[in-house]
Amino acid sequence: MTTPHPTPPFLAPDPKAAAGSRIADFTRWAARHAGAEALQDPTDYQALHRWSVTDLEGFWAAVWEYFDIDATTPYERVLADETMPGARWFPGASLNYTHHALRNLDPEAPAITALDETGASYEITGRQLRAQVASVAATLRDLGVGQGDRVVGYLPNTPHAIIAFLATASLGAVWSVCGQDYAPKAAADRFAQLEPTVLVTADGYLFNGTTHDRRAASLELAAALPTLKATVLVDHVGLAWPQTRTAGLTVPWEDAATRTEYLTIAPVPFDHPLWIVFSSGTTGLPKGIVHGHGGVLLEHLKTLGLHCDLGAGDRLLWYTTTHWMMWNLAVSTLLTGAATCTYDGSPAPVARPDILWELAARHNVTVFGTGPQYLLAMAKLGVEPSVHDLSAIRVIGCTGSALPASAYPWVRDHVGAGIQLASTSGGTDVVSGFAGSAPTTPIWAGELSAPNLGVALAAYDRAGRPVVDQVGELVVTRPMPSMPLYFWNDPDGSRYRDAYFTAYPGVWRHGDWITLTSHGSVIVHGRSDATLNRNGVRLGSADIHDIVEHLPEITEALVIGAEEPDGGYWMPLFVVPAPGVTVDDALRDRIRDAIRAGASPRHVPDEILAVPAIPHTKTGKKLEVPVKRLLQGAPAEQVLNPSAVDNPDLVAYFADLGAERRQLRHPHTPEGVS
């Protein structure tokens, strides 16, 4: 039973819009056809959520039927085994994601709108998309790609990535992609694990007024993948590919995508691998997280169709890179019959910082997606989105980190008063959301309206007890269809279990601090593990440590990412200089250049600070999370036992460093007062 919220909502649902939403229609349908007779009010989200997590099989069967899943063979049961990890969903069913991504599209209407930071655009209709997917699928088949083989993309966020993915999935092959701001070695650290058959790569990408030439990087990556049979070369920014290319066959994208072919789609089991997304690699090589066709299909139809209210005639523009899970979700817009937009460039280029708002207005975007840092930056830059006609926008989705309460009035006053500002929290691990909002939920500034449908969300204390109105670990107590099938190269499942199920056996622990309020909302406090999370893109500290510690001037390094009370995010790099070395501006520039070249521009820290040493456990593990919490102001006695640290004096050192920074940023706030 929930208690009333102590304050009025920042935005209450419009009764007419709520009653006419797809989630309300689904609620009425479930009450009539899915044994959910207790759902009397189609706009009562809390009642719908309770049903969705208490009758898990009834809810997901309803999602299947409501969205008319077209299976080649029927399922035997919705949930054959609820044990986590290893829950078995819809055994017996065979289907294909690509079939569902293409079947609801209007052949003559735009399916994909390609945008870039110059304002240029072009459209691909439903008919054209199907034709290009058929052509690329035939090309991949001719190159030896079969069911279960891996195809990888080193690509910016353009239609080429979507087309190559859909073609790969249509064959029952497995897709993985990362953006071209990753250095070839960082990309190879991911892709080489998969032993891919084909690489699809572009000549370059745009960012902040600059065309980045990635031809040499592409060829270097191809050379680092010895299992390749072929490389497909995309001409995106108009740079001529060299005559001496990769070892093995090379195919121009124009040849691959312009054949006249009939699209044959291979039905695969519900839990057949669809794509592999990678963890951030905090403690070593990035982990390949494998998701299945059916789980992604159902989870994304629920998220986009019900929570985001997307359908035919809508258009989504979500700023993302191809290696962030939001790219995967944005592609799934097609499942609902809506159009998706790709965008190549900076979200706020110096020459045109409001370009995304301009494009949203020009192309009648109905769901606009971004991260908290973008909205905060717009406010700081004095950008006025309302000079553009944004009347088509119904929803602004915001994810990647917690959206501070201060951003809500800015959106209302500078974008649109009636827009649903949908702050959401999820993860690459489930390639979906755990909590967010819907057309039928009120919005409170600084809070997520509710757990998502089908997500049995709880906050656990250290003893594994659910708590309300106090901070706890984000856990999920019942399975979701899009939980990973397994990790790549993890034959006994031990890495998968260790990642989520060791703290509370049989219960998913995600690594976020949250508060579940007595009035049903969710407050996210940030990561409880060591993963870096910059602007929603999760980065691995190991990627940075490996590069910096190879420099002769540096003996050891530690990078952390700390969420700050004002909604900011501070990512400092602490370095221990070699004897006789001074960490001056010249050395800092060399460190930044090495990280930019060896990993990506996103990995470059906000500050580089010399420290006397890095704290470790007695067994030599860097204390990343404790250092983060010390810098954020957590009392040292609550963070760790000094006797467990190899150099106990460093506990006070980092605590004092955090206190000094907070005093500099907020000189009029006494230490200890938030």
Side-chain angles (χ1 to χ4, degrees):
M1 194 73 179
T2 58
T3 61
H5 198 285
T7 61
F10 179 82
L11 179 68
D14 175 79
K16 184 178 180 181
S21 65
R22 182 175 274 193
I23 194 171
D25 185 65
F26 172 79
T27 306
R28 287 187 286 264
W29 185 93
R32 292 194 306 269
H33 303 290
E37 294 86 358
L39 300 177
Q40 298 298 313
D41 180 357
T43 64
D44 185 347
Y45 180 87
Q46 291 185 348
L48 178 62
H49 180 264
R50 280 194 299 272
W51 173 68
S52 77
V53 295
T54 54
D55 185 3
L56 212 57
E57 290 196 67
F59 170 72
W60 286 109
V63 172
W64 180 289
E65 296 297 330
Y66 181 78
F67 286 104
D68 190 26
I69 300 303
D70 186 16
T72 306
T73 57
Y75 63 84
E76 298 158 4
R77 182 176 176 180
V78 174
L79 184 56
D81 184 354
E82 191 174 323
T83 305
M84 292 191 290
R88 292 179 57 235
W89 290 95
F90 296 92
S94 58
L95 41 69
N96 192 288
Y97 175 101
T98 295
H99 169 61
H100 290 83
L102 298 176
R103 69 171 184 155
N104 292 322
L105 300 176
D106 183 334
E108 307 308 324
I112 304 174
T113 301
L115 310 170
D116 69 36
E117 66 175 38
T118 70
S121 66
Y122 64 90
E123 294 181 335
I124 298 174
T125 66
R127 188 185 310 280
Q128 291 168 333
L129 178 59
R130 175 176 283 272
Q132 292 186 47
V133 169
S135 177
V136 174
T139 299
L140 293 176
R141 192 183 298 112
D142 290 349
L143 294 173
V145 175
Q147 194 165 124
D149 289 333
R150 277 76 62 201
V151 176
V152 296
Y154 188 48
L155 295 163
N157 186 15
T158 68
H160 309 94
I162 297 177
I163 294 163
F165 156 60
L166 293 175
T168 299
S170 75
L171 301 173
V174 188
W175 173 257
S176 191
V177 64
C178 78
Q180 292 193 304
D181 53 348
Y182 270 74
K185 181 184 181 304
D189 284 345
R190 289 152 174 80
F191 293 157
Q193 300 179 53
L194 309 182
E195 300 180 307
T197 302
V198 171
L199 166 69
V200 184
T201 186
D203 54 349
Y205 65 95
L206 301 175
F207 198 86
N208 204 19
T210 300
T211 297
H212 293 263
D213 184 348
R214 302 304 284 167
R215 292 173 296 175
S218 296
L219 302 186
E220 183 181 339
L221 172 59
L225 303 174
T227 58
L228 291 182
K229 295 180 180 178
T231 302
V232 178
L233 305 175
V234 175
D235 180 4
H236 171 52
V237 293
L239 302 174
W241 287 96
Q243 292 302 308
T244 303
R245 295 175 176 172
T246 62
L249 187 63
T250 56
V251 180
W253 176 265
E254 287 305 309
D255 292 350
T258 56
R259 299 165 53 169
T260 301
E261 301 284 348
Y262 178 78
L263 179 60
T264 302
I265 296 178
V268 294
F270 184 91
D271 59 357
H272 184 79
L274 172 66
W275 58 45
I276 299 169
V277 292
F278 280 92
S279 72
S280 50
T282 298
T283 56
L285 283 178
K287 295 186 289 288
I289 302 171
V290 185
H291 294 119
H293 276 248
V296 169
L297 173 63
L298 289 182
E299 182 65 40
H300 285 187
L301 279 170
K302 177 209 75 176
T303 300
L304 295 166
L306 302 183
H307 284 275
C308 295
D309 201 32
L310 280 170
D314 287 316
R315 188 170 296 185
L316 177 143
L317 168 58
W318 202 298
Y319 177 77
T320 182
T321 61
T322 52
H323 49 266
W324 186 22
M325 61 147 282
M326 290 311 303
W327 178 84
N328 304 73
L329 198 68
V331 173
S332 289
T333 302
L334 301 172
L335 298 172
T336 71
T340 193
C341 299
T342 63
Y343 177 80
D344 182 35
S346 165
V350 172
R352 303 173 77 173
D354 66 341
I355 185 63
L356 286 180
W357 302 110
E358 179 185 329
L359 292 171
R362 190 186 311 164
H363 296 282
N364 296 311
V365 166
T366 52
V367 176
F368 181 93
T370 184
Q373 295 303 312
Y374 176 78
L375 296 177
L376 295 171
M378 292 290 99
K380 289 177 182 177
L381 290 170
V383 170
E384 186 55 67
S386 63
V387 301
H388 307 288
D389 180 5
L390 301 173
S391 57
I393 295 180
R394 297 194 314 268
V395 179
I396 291 181
C398 191
T399 193
S401 58
L403 181 64
S406 61
Y408 289 71
W410 183 86
V411 170
R412 177 194 62 204
D413 298 340
H414 298 273
V415 184
I419 292 173
Q420 176 191 346
L421 181 49
S423 181
T424 63
S425 180
T428 300
D429 324 71
V430 294
V431 76
S432 185
F434 296 119
S437 67
T440 52
T441 61
I443 305 293
W444 287 279
E447 302 179 16
L448 283 63
S449 298
N452 281 6
L453 297 177
V455 181
L457 193 69
Y460 271 13
D461 64 15
R462 292 184 184 277
R465 296 178 299 243
V467 293
V468 176
D469 289 331
Q470 59 181 281
V471 177
E473 286 272 5
L474 187 161
V475 300
V476 182
T477 61
R478 302 191 73 184
M480 298 167 58
S482 65
M483 283 177 174
L485 302 175
Y486 50 85
F487 285 176
W488 195 258
N489 289 337
D490 181 27
D492 64 357
S494 58
R495 295 173 70 204
Y496 182 21
R497 288 191 300 273
D498 290 347
Y500 311 111
F501 298 103
T502 53
Y504 313 109
V507 172
W508 175 288
R509 171 193 170 273
H510 189 62
D512 279 340
W513 299 114
I514 64 167
T515 297
L516 279 179
T517 72
S518 52
H519 44 268
S521 67
V522 182
I523 301 171
V524 180
H525 304 285
R527 299 295 298 170
S528 64
D529 62 14
T531 302
L532 305 173
N533 189 341
R534 177 179 261 176
N535 296 333
V537 179
R538 294 175 67 179
L539 309 173
S541 56
D543 288 340
I544 298 172
H545 295 162
D546 289 347
I547 294 165
V548 176
E549 290 173 356
H550 274 90
L551 298 174
E553 300 94 338
I554 302 301
T555 59
E556 194 173 18
L558 174 70
V559 65
I560 66 101
E563 299 83 4
E564 298 186 302
D566 61 0
Y569 189 78
W570 182 44
M571 198 174 102
L573 172 68
F574 301 104
V575 295
V576 181
V581 172
T582 299
V583 179
D584 55 15
D585 288 345
L587 178 54
R588 289 186 177 93
D589 286 343
R590 287 199 295 279
I591 293 171
R592 292 187 188 99
D593 289 344
I595 295 170
R596 189 177 291 110
S600 83
R602 283 186 176 80
H603 290 75
V604 176
D606 297 318
E607 292 185 69
I608 300 174
L609 304 171
V611 293
I614 302 296
H616 307 82
T617 64
K618 292 296 180 66
T619 57
K621 184 177 180 180
K622 293 177 183 177
L623 291 166
E624 296 173 81
V625 173
V627 167
K628 168 181 172 175
R629 296 191 63 203
L630 289 170
L631 292 168
Q632 290 176 314
E637 63 272 15
Q638 295 182 13
V639 173
L640 76 171
N641 183 347
S643 65
V645 185
D646 61 350
N647 185 345
D649 292 340
L650 291 173
V651 176
Y653 178 89
F654 280 93
D656 291 343
L657 191 65
E660 291 170 10
R661 172 178 166 79
R662 290 191 299 279
Q663 188 63 25
L664 286 172
R665 285 173 59 83
H666 306 286
H668 303 300
T669 302
E671 187 62 20
V673 178
S674 60

